[in-house]
Amino acid sequence: MADRCDIAVIGGGVMGLALAVHLLEAGAGDVRLVERDTVGEGTTAAGGGFLGDWAPYEQESAAARYGRAFYARLQEEGDDIGYRSDGMMYVAAGEAVWQELIAWQTGTPLSAAEVERVTDGAVPADNVRGGVLISDGGQVHAPKVATALAKRFRAGGGRLDTRRPVTAISTAKGRVRAVETTAGPITCGAVVVAAGAWSGALTRDLGFFLPAAPQVTSRVSTEPLDIPGTLPLLFLTGLTSDEPGGGTLLWVREHEGGLLWGGTYATFPRDVLIDAPVPDRLDELPIDGVLEILRIAGLGALVMPALARRSRLRIKHGAPCHTPDSRALIGPVPGVEGVYVLAGDNEAGITYGPGYGKALADHITRGTPLDQWRPDRFGDRFTTQRQVVDALKAAEAASVPPA
């Protein structure tokens, strides 16, 4: 019996799952999602789960608003995804970073005493200069989101294949023919590549360089520490003011009574996947970055004492993919009819994923334009992931937020 579908989605992270759910809702027909591992096991497993809006574009802001409403609806309808709309707070450890923070970040400035009150004492007033509270921020637990979306996808009639690695996309006469997998081909009328760090290899075989660079990040979680469930997501800034660029920014949130934290470190293995093969599982990556996060957490304990009480630590690695202009890559892959890509999360796939998924589903089923996110908008400017990283660093250097 032939293995076929109308649309195949490659990748079972939050972005791929959100797209698959929206395709079903849009009446796209027989939708098949194919995942090399289990759902939510790639970069989603290392997701911080915070909801904000950092991009200076209305399309991204609309996607962020849609995402918050989408997650709220999931929670209200009985899917426990850990959704909370209690805001997020940037906390300044010292005077210099405090002045930079209030000049750069929009939100409500808080005194040190107000920071202590809002965090229920988790961040004592004596240890900080102040904070900025962004009230429309929120948080979810990324792996729980993946589980909830997979359940909805199946309930809506979608077919989900896990532990079925995709090896290639085959074409005939300039059009997609099938998704080739280790368990045989799946004939399809259209395919969406939403495989995160693995996406570039699939599009490269189709003759298109995907201008997205995977950069390693890691998250750490602890056993229960009696952390209050009302704690907003925290960004601890100015912990290493003597280091270049202010050092590693530490984000911290409550999860099941314990702490979940991580940071965007610049040390090895941040760029180990640039222009290199991506391993089958991200837990095979080196832990040097985790050691950097633990070092920064040690300094963060001066601001948030609970960070010193860590034990029974659990670690997850991710490889979010960055683009030269920090905007997503969504739409048709040039040169091959019926192939689309959903990529370039820019370390904010949880925030924007549902909005991006809806946008691409609308494009595929109704022809809604996606010009602002076109994958080929850079032309031939980039041919390597190192060039993408260099362009991103140059853009960041032109406008550096406090750290």
Side-chain angles (χ1 to χ4, degrees):
M1 183 175 178
D3 199 358
R4 64 176 65 248
C5 64
D6 293 320
I7 300 180
V9 177
I10 304 172
V14 164
M15 287 176 56
L17 285 162
L19 167 66
V21 168
H22 283 92
L23 283 170
L24 286 179
E25 292 178 350
D30 181 14
V31 181
R32 186 83 162 265
L33 190 145
V34 188
E35 162 58 39
R36 66 184 300 121
D37 205 314
T38 57
V39 296
E41 189 57 41
T43 295
T44 291
F50 34 88
L51 309 176
D53 182 15
W54 297 274
Y57 307 102
E58 174 53 32
Q59 294 94 337
E60 277 79 358
S61 293
R65 292 192 296 271
Y66 179 85
R68 290 195 295 272
F70 181 84
Y71 292 131
R73 186 171 72 251
L74 285 182
Q75 188 78 27
E76 290 168 0
E77 293 178 354
D79 289 304
D80 178 17
I81 59 171
Y83 173 76
R84 286 164 30 197
S85 57
D86 44 12
M88 57 186 180
M89 184 191 302
Y90 286 79
V91 178
E95 180 65 31
V97 73
W98 164 249
Q99 293 299 327
E100 293 177 353
L101 189 61
I102 60 176
W104 167 73
Q105 188 56 259
T106 59
T108 304
L110 302 179
S111 67
E114 289 171 321
V115 169
E116 179 173 351
R117 176 181 58 79
V118 171
T119 62
D120 287 334
V123 179
D126 292 344
N127 299 354
V128 298
R129 173 60 181 85
V132 173
L133 180 65
I134 300 174
S135 59
D136 61 355
Q139 52 191 294
V140 294
H141 186 54
K144 287 185 175 181
V145 170
T147 298
L149 291 177
K151 184 180 76 172
R152 292 204 165 215
F153 177 62
R154 287 193 179 104
R159 291 187 288 167
L160 176 58
D161 291 348
T162 57
R163 303 195 185 283
R164 188 174 182 176
V166 172
T167 58
I169 298 169
S170 60
T171 64
K173 298 180 179 179
R175 179 170 180 81
V176 63
R177 186 189 70 82
V179 172
E180 306 292 338
T181 80
T182 55
I186 303 172
T187 303
C188 56
V191 59
V192 180
V193 180
W198 294 272
S199 295
L202 292 172
T203 64
R204 183 178 60 242
D205 290 345
L206 297 173
F208 176 65
F209 171 74
L210 188 68
Q215 293 190 293
V216 177
T217 187
S218 308
R219 76 163 203 198
V220 179
S221 57
T222 73
E223 64 180 346
L225 297 172
D226 297 322
I227 303 298
T230 56
L231 184 74
L233 167 70
L234 302 178
F235 291 94
L236 306 184
T237 66
L239 302 177
T240 54
S241 57
D242 58 329
E243 296 183 9
T248 298
L249 173 74
L250 194 71
W251 58 262
V252 185
R253 53 165 293 193
E254 181 272 343
H255 175 61
E256 297 181 347
L259 290 177
L260 181 69
W261 81 84
T264 304
Y265 47 79
T267 59
F268 178 85
R270 178 69 169 167
D271 288 346
V272 73
L273 299 179
I274 299 301
D275 295 315
V278 180
D280 288 341
R281 294 180 62 92
L282 297 179
D283 56 14
E284 300 172 18
L285 293 170
I287 67 166
D288 302 58
V290 175
L291 300 179
E292 167 66 5
I293 290 175
L294 292 175
R295 180 183 76 88
I296 299 300
L299 299 174
L302 300 175
V303 171
M304 189 177 187
L307 285 168
R309 296 164 49 206
R310 55 185 185 263
S311 62
R312 301 184 183 179
L313 301 182
R314 297 182 298 278
I315 298 166
K316 284 290 185 181
H317 301 296
C321 295
H322 294 262
T323 62
D325 58 1
S326 296
R327 304 193 78 179
L329 304 167
I330 309 173
V333 171
V336 185
E337 187 178 354
V339 180
Y340 303 84
V341 68
L342 175 58
D345 59 279
N346 290 288
E347 217 151 336
I350 304 300
T351 287
Y352 300 115
Y356 289 163
K358 184 179 188 306
L360 183 52
D362 288 346
H363 176 78
I364 292 173
T365 59
R366 295 171 16 193
T368 304
L370 287 173
D371 292 345
Q372 70 275 14
W373 296 319
R374 283 178 47 180
D376 61 349
R377 64 182 179 271
F378 300 106
D380 297 329
R381 286 174 53 197
F382 302 101
T383 57
T384 69
Q385 292 174 345
R386 174 54 59 191
Q387 291 173 338
V388 172
V389 172
D390 289 345
L392 180 63
K393 288 180 178 179
E396 290 175 343
S399 178
V400 179

